[in-house]
Amino acid sequence: MTPTQGQALGLLREAPDGMRLAELAGMLGISAPTASEAVTSLVQKGLAVKAPGPDRRSIALLLTAAGEDLADRTRDWPDFLAQAVDTLEPREQADLLRCLVKVIRALQLHGDVPQQRMCVTCRYFHPFAHADGAAPHHCAYVDAPFGDRHLRLACAEHEEAPADAQASLWQRFAGKAA
């Protein structure tokens, strides 16, 4: 299993209705031919299938039961990183995540990495909506406050906010110290 195939498994695991090849390629930040090679390998290994897409000319990529099982088992591959982060104090962990969000967002804006389904680009995200320093943000999807430590980098419920709203969200989020 290549890293690209592993990432594809993880993304397909989060898309129970399937995903088009172009969408998968975009989320992985790779070309369509490279994504096609990865998917072909997953299909040959019995981990994914190609099903009819929403229109007659497209296909949807879906995981098989074996693919779902492998995606679940490999979801935690970077355990060594998690163990290293666990050595940080909770406040340091929150600060690290906040910094990562800022770095990823800068890379996205420059076109260096594909768009991710992060809180800071979601229509449900309301930064610094609460006075509680431990949980200042609000997620309107679940109608609950949360803190920097729970910012999401790849949320299944993410809905892209319009560009002008994203700019405003980002200004409020990045402009305040945690």
Side-chain angles (χ1 to χ4, degrees):
M1 175 88 40
T2 68
T4 300
Q5 292 168 12
Q7 287 179 303
L9 277 178
L11 290 170
L12 292 172
R13 182 69 173 113
E14 295 178 21
D17 296 329
M19 186 180 295
R20 294 179 62 175
L21 182 65
E23 181 182 7
L24 180 63
M27 292 182 81
L28 290 171
I30 59 177
S31 68
T34 301
S36 181
E37 287 177 25
V39 167
T40 297
S41 181
L42 293 175
V43 169
Q44 290 171 344
K45 293 175 183 179
L47 301 172
V49 295
K50 296 177 182 179
D55 57 62
R56 287 189 283 171
R57 297 182 335 169
S58 69
I59 59 165
L61 308 167
L62 301 160
L63 290 182
T64 62
E68 289 178 7
D69 181 55
L70 184 58
D72 289 342
R73 286 186 287 132
T74 59
R75 177 181 4 218
D76 300 322
W77 273 348
D79 282 339
F80 68 95
L81 291 174
Q83 291 170 3
V85 170
D86 283 343
T87 67
L88 301 174
E89 296 297 320
R91 179 73 212 165
E92 293 171 318
Q93 291 177 7
D95 290 344
L96 176 61
L97 181 56
R98 184 179 179 82
C99 290
L100 284 172
V101 167
K102 287 183 171 186
V103 168
I104 292 168
R105 183 70 179 143
L107 292 169
Q108 288 175 339
L109 291 172
H110 289 108
D112 296 323
V113 298
Q115 291 292 329
Q116 300 298 310
R117 296 164 305 187
M118 299 191 304
C119 291
V120 297
T121 61
C122 183
R123 74 181 196 93
Y124 298 117
F125 180 61
H126 302 285
F128 299 100
H130 302 283
D132 181 358
H137 313 305
H138 191 84
C139 176
Y141 185 83
V142 295
D143 193 24
F146 68 99
D148 284 349
R149 192 159 186 236
H150 296 101
L151 288 165
R152 300 193 71 188
L153 301 177
C155 179
E157 291 78 33
H158 180 272
E159 287 187 29
E160 188 106 4
D164 59 334
Q166 278 189 38
S168 175
L169 290 172
W170 182 251
Q171 189 173 35
R172 287 196 327 261
F173 175 78
K176 284 198 174 184

